[in-house]
Amino acid sequence: MINELVEWFSIAQGWLFQTVVQPLVFLLGFGEFVDNAFEGTEWFLIGLCEITLIYIILRPLESLIPVHAMTDKRARWNDFLYTLIHRLGAFSILVFLVLDPVMDHVEAILHLQGMSPLNLENLIPGMVGYPLASFMVYLVVLDFFDYWYHRAEHQSNWMWGLHSLHHSQQNMNLWSDDRNHLLDDFLRDIYMAVIAIAIGVQPSQYVLLVAASRVLQSLQHANVRIHFGVIGERLLVSPRYHRLHHAIGIGHESYGKGSLGGHNFAVIFPIWDILFGTALFGKTFEVTGVRDQLPPPEGIGRDYGRRFWAQQWLGLKRMVEFALRKPS
């Protein structure tokens, strides 16, 4: 069954590339990027499969077991626009084009010095020849670095100025995972891609690692009353666990012992929160948002924008404003 799906996917990728993408690349005079365009076609189709799978599974669940009623009918559509931008390959292609020549240059320098890039598969006995095992190891390692990047977004003033757009969604839904500032996502994608290249992740592996992570994160952000139980909540980030991270004054805005600006920063595996003292396990589904967007006296009524371009512009303004803040 899996082999048949892979074969069908390869046929679809080949057809789309030869029929649409390749002629367009040469028409625009970008023939030197034709190989990159083929990889971009793969990203596009995987993103399309993700979007279809997410909608088929999560949208009915949001109707059957919602946490809250949607107070803004445009919220889901606006977040869907972010999903189209991020899942259909545009960001991945851009990051690849930026990093590819840089990493090739670095690798050439290393070879001249008699050094080889790190490869986890060669360091861990028994990984070679077991693709599922290597996939899981890379997923755990990348998630560890993602945890620290996410935590930095809540600790650094200028990074929070961008990332707060993601947290300003008061109507969390199946598309909210992709509701991020473009600059925020671009910087994170570069960071994660550099880590992946540094530990020896192959491009074909990276595509699947990113896809698996994104599908799980879509579930986490969905408007569904789901948790994984006492044990499961400590093994995999659930919608309830991650919702606590988005909760006003409880998750990302709390300053508990051992916490840098909040709780539940783990992207996939809660073990990082448990190990580094930022885990918060609760039994409630809390209200989400950012405190300063609330009207006085609870907040200052900050405007985060309702449309895509307004949200992007206001994010840049917050980045500058927060970066210039004096330490309290």
Side-chain angles (χ1 to χ4, degrees):
M1 180 64 179
I2 295 178
N3 290 334
E4 290 180 357
L5 290 175
V6 171
E7 184 178 351
W8 291 343
F9 184 90
S10 299
I11 292 173
Q13 181 184 1
W15 177 85
L16 181 60
F17 177 74
Q18 294 177 5
T19 307
V20 179
V21 178
Q22 188 178 43
L24 185 61
V25 167
F26 283 110
L27 178 64
L28 296 175
F30 297 128
E32 66 270 26
F33 297 113
V34 68
D35 290 337
N36 297 342
F38 185 75
E39 293 180 4
T41 306
E42 181 182 22
W43 278 99
F44 175 83
L45 286 177
I46 288 178
L48 199 59
C49 291
E50 285 180 49
I51 292 172
T52 303
L53 179 67
I54 290 166
Y55 184 81
I56 290 174
I57 295 176
L58 295 182
R59 187 63 189 91
L61 288 176
E62 286 194 331
S63 297
L64 291 171
I65 49 174
V67 174
H68 58 79
M70 299 291 287
T71 59
D72 182 359
K73 295 181 179 179
R74 293 183 298 181
R76 187 182 283 122
W77 281 107
N78 192 63
D79 288 358
F80 182 59
L81 175 59
Y82 281 95
T83 297
L84 292 178
I85 293 172
H86 289 89
R87 301 281 174 114
L88 297 185
F91 257 79
S92 303
I93 295 170
L94 183 59
V95 170
F96 182 86
L97 291 176
V98 170
L99 285 182
D100 189 46
V102 175
M103 297 308 293
D104 282 347
H105 182 66
V106 171
E107 187 173 348
I109 293 176
L110 290 175
H111 280 303
L112 288 175
Q113 299 298 323
M115 302 169 60
S116 299
L118 175 67
N119 191 311
L120 286 185
E121 291 190 45
N122 296 331
L123 293 178
I124 301 177
M127 270 188 64
V128 178
Y130 295 92
L132 183 58
S134 63
F135 179 88
M136 289 305 302
V137 169
Y138 283 133
L139 188 65
V140 171
V141 172
L142 290 174
D143 191 57
F144 169 77
F145 285 100
D146 210 1
Y147 165 85
W148 286 108
Y149 188 88
H150 187 193
R151 196 161 164 176
E153 288 179 309
H154 289 262
Q155 181 69 7
S156 165
N157 282 343
W158 72 268
M159 292 179 76
W160 172 244
L162 296 173
H163 187 57
S164 55
L165 166 61
H166 177 71
H167 280 269
S168 67
Q169 180 56 281
Q170 296 173 300
N171 289 270
M172 284 178 63
N173 60 84
L174 70 165
W175 310 122
S176 294
D177 170 49
D178 295 305
R179 176 194 169 97
N180 299 303
H181 197 280
L182 296 180
L183 179 58
D184 187 15
D185 261 353
F186 183 59
L187 294 174
R188 177 188 170 275
D189 282 358
I190 289 179
Y191 166 82
M192 294 301 294
V194 168
I195 298 296
I197 293 171
I199 63 176
V201 177
Q202 298 301 310
S204 58
Q205 289 176 310
Y206 192 60
V207 172
L208 296 177
L209 288 164
V210 170
S213 177
R214 292 193 306 202
V215 169
L216 290 171
Q217 290 180 69
S218 292
L219 170 62
Q220 297 165 14
H221 290 82
N223 179 26
V224 291
R225 196 172 289 273
I226 291 177
H227 64 87
F228 299 154
V230 176
I231 297 177
E233 293 272 286
R234 287 156 174 80
L235 299 177
L236 193 67
V237 172
S238 73
R240 184 175 70 180
Y241 183 87
H242 192 67
R243 192 176 184 87
L244 279 170
H245 173 68
H246 278 258
I248 298 175
I250 299 175
H252 63 98
E253 294 177 315
S254 64
Y255 287 83
K257 182 179 179 182
S259 167
L260 293 177
H263 299 282
N264 299 9
F265 299 106
V267 179
I268 300 178
F269 303 114
I271 185 63
W272 313 126
D273 282 315
I274 296 171
L275 289 176
F276 300 111
T278 54
L280 177 63
F281 296 98
K283 296 183 178 180
T284 56
F285 292 85
E286 301 292 338
V287 175
T288 63
V290 182
R291 188 189 299 277
D292 69 4
Q293 73 187 133
L294 299 176
E298 293 87 356
I300 60 174
R302 181 184 294 276
D303 180 19
Y304 281 83
R306 300 191 67 190
R307 299 289 190 179
F308 177 83
W309 288 114
Q311 291 168 350
Q312 295 298 306
W313 170 243
L314 290 171
L316 292 175
K317 291 178 66 175
R318 282 193 310 276
M319 179 185 70
V320 175
E321 174 192 342
F322 292 179
L324 296 176
R325 280 181 176 176
K326 294 182 180 180
S328 55

